[in-house]
Amino acid sequence: MILSTERLLPDAHGYSRAAEILRDGGRVAFPTETVYGLGGDARNDRAVAGIFEAKGRPRFNPLIVHVDSAEAARAYVEWSEGAERLAGAFWPGPLTMVLPLKPGTRLSPLVTAELPTLAIRVPAHPVAQALLHTFGGPVAAPSANPSGRISPTSAAHVLAGLDGRIEAVLDGGTCDVGVESTILGLVDGPVLLRPGGIAVEEIEAVIGNRVARHTDGDAISAPGQLASHYAPGAIVRLNATTRQEGELLLGFGTVDCDLNLSPTGDLREAAANLFGHLHRLDAQGAKAIAVSPIPDTGLGQAINDRLRRAAAPRPGPAQP
Ligand code: AMP
Ligand code: MG
């Protein structure tokens, strides 16, 4: 669907319109001090699915949640002394902390890609601050560019990639840092997960400890994190057109099934429902879950990627 993307100015009308779009589950690109982010309500499955859809991301990787203060952040993550010090030194600013997710936060499981941790930051850009304040909730935001393209540092860059694919862009001029936030894991000791706007040496000076460097460059492929990835207890069988003995069928489109990802065959609705429905069938004690074929276009690619992983043979505890 082609949308007409609203260009909003950073004034009272622009902020209230942007907040209204976010509350309705829409997507608003906004400036931060690093790059423009593509924001959606982090509690709304459909909004978060819409971010992946607009970017054309072939995978549901975890997103950074943006809030307007350290106090707001504490509602979502298990806080620690290290987090307190780092927040005191670098927030608001280009530091993202990965901390254990608090139970019962009601964030969309698409935001964390079902990891037990959450990446969170408080941006310093006055336009980002004002938007978060007006909206009053957590905003999930990856960079506002189509997947595989470079990160945007102006509203014109955002529109060059996403015009017609998102509800609005809040034009706050040019970003000054232009590189992404530094991502620091604080789950089992400090680990640099992505270098960025704040140098690791500055972080070490604040915490008085060495920060381990993550060498393979891919935060979520770290073995510990992969192992904690949710897989249903049930066996998963893909591209199923009928139910076999003992299976529950997770449907898509007009099929007779136990639970339907999207009766109308809408991929965004299916993405929004994916994790919740898998959990629900699992909780029903299914021994096996059969899944209808999902078209491998647009968001279907990310859905199929996730389903293939759920269906893959499970690594035993002895494997690396
Ligand atoms: P982007 O969405 O382009 O801003 O990138 C977000 C980055 O944050 C990706 O590299 C993710 O892998 C990383 N990230 C987000 N959440 C987590 C998490 N819970 N644990 C580790 N890395 C994360
Ligand atoms: Mg990016």
Side-chain angles (χ1 to χ4, degrees):
M1 189 169 66
I2 304 207
L3 303 168
S4 113
T5 302
E6 292 178 42
R7 280 86 164 154
L8 302 172
L9 293 174
D11 55 21
H13 169 264
Y15 292 126
S16 71
R17 177 70 191 129
E20 179 180 44
I21 291 170
L22 290 174
R23 277 193 286 271
D24 286 346
R27 294 146 295 192
V28 178
F30 63 97
T32 76
E33 67 278 26
T34 60
V35 300
Y36 270 70
L38 179 57
D41 184 342
R43 300 160 298 194
N44 181 329
D45 292 324
R46 194 176 158 75
V48 182
I51 292 173
F52 286 95
E53 180 182 52
K55 285 182 66 84
R57 270 203 181 169
R59 273 193 178 186
F60 294 118
N61 41 2
L63 303 179
I64 297 171
V65 166
H66 297 66
V67 289
D68 68 353
S69 64
E71 199 193 334
R74 284 201 289 266
Y76 301 102
V77 286
E78 303 287 1
W79 206 239
S80 63
E81 205 189 301
E84 180 67 23
R85 270 205 220 164
L86 290 163
F90 300 115
W91 278 2
L95 175 70
T96 297
M97 294 196 243
V98 174
L99 290 159
L101 180 67
K102 266 195 181 168
T105 60
R106 298 186 175 273
L107 293 180
S108 167
L110 284 170
V111 167
T112 53
E114 301 176 298
L115 293 168
T117 55
L118 179 68
I120 195 157
R121 91 172 181 102
V122 178
H125 196 292
V127 175
Q129 277 279 330
L131 173 65
L132 291 168
H133 196 74
T134 309
F135 175 57
V139 171
S143 52
N145 53 279
S147 184
R149 303 256 292 274
I150 56 168
S151 296
T153 54
S154 70
H157 293 168
V158 172
L159 290 168
L162 298 176
D163 195 11
R165 303 178 62 86
I166 62 176
E167 282 72 13
V169 58
L170 191 53
D171 188 346
T174 306
C175 304
D176 19 273
V177 177
V179 295
E180 286 162 315
S181 62
T182 300
I183 304 182
L184 186 70
L186 288 165
V187 179
D188 320 295
V191 187
L192 180 69
L193 298 173
R194 179 178 77 187
I198 290 179
V200 67
E201 293 78 10
E202 292 179 73
I203 293 170
E204 289 175 327
V206 168
I207 57 176
N209 248 322
R210 204 187 115 81
V211 171
R213 271 63 164 174
H214 190 74
T215 44
D216 70 9
D218 180 1
I220 40 176
S221 71
Q225 292 171 332
L226 196 66
S228 60
H229 225 107
Y230 171 82
I235 292 166
V236 177
R237 185 168 69 86
L238 304 182
N239 297 313
T241 45
T242 54
R243 251 190 227 93
Q244 292 175 2
E245 180 77 33
E247 285 181 340
L248 291 178
L249 181 62
L250 179 60
F252 177 81
T254 45
V255 283
D256 169 28
C257 57
D258 298 282
L259 207 51
N260 203 319
L261 288 168
S262 171
T264 58
D266 173 357
L267 287 167
R268 180 162 170 194
E269 183 183 14
N273 286 330
L274 180 64
F275 294 167
H277 279 19
L278 283 171
H279 279 278
R280 220 158 288 146
L281 290 176
D282 222 17
Q284 285 180 28
K287 292 261 181 303
I289 300 171
V291 189
S292 292
I294 313 283
D296 207 37
T297 55
L299 264 179
Q301 287 185 358
I303 296 172
N304 283 321
D305 171 72
R306 186 64 190 91
L307 285 171
R308 273 194 298 275
R309 282 193 250 191
R314 314 280 156 79
Q319 282 174 274

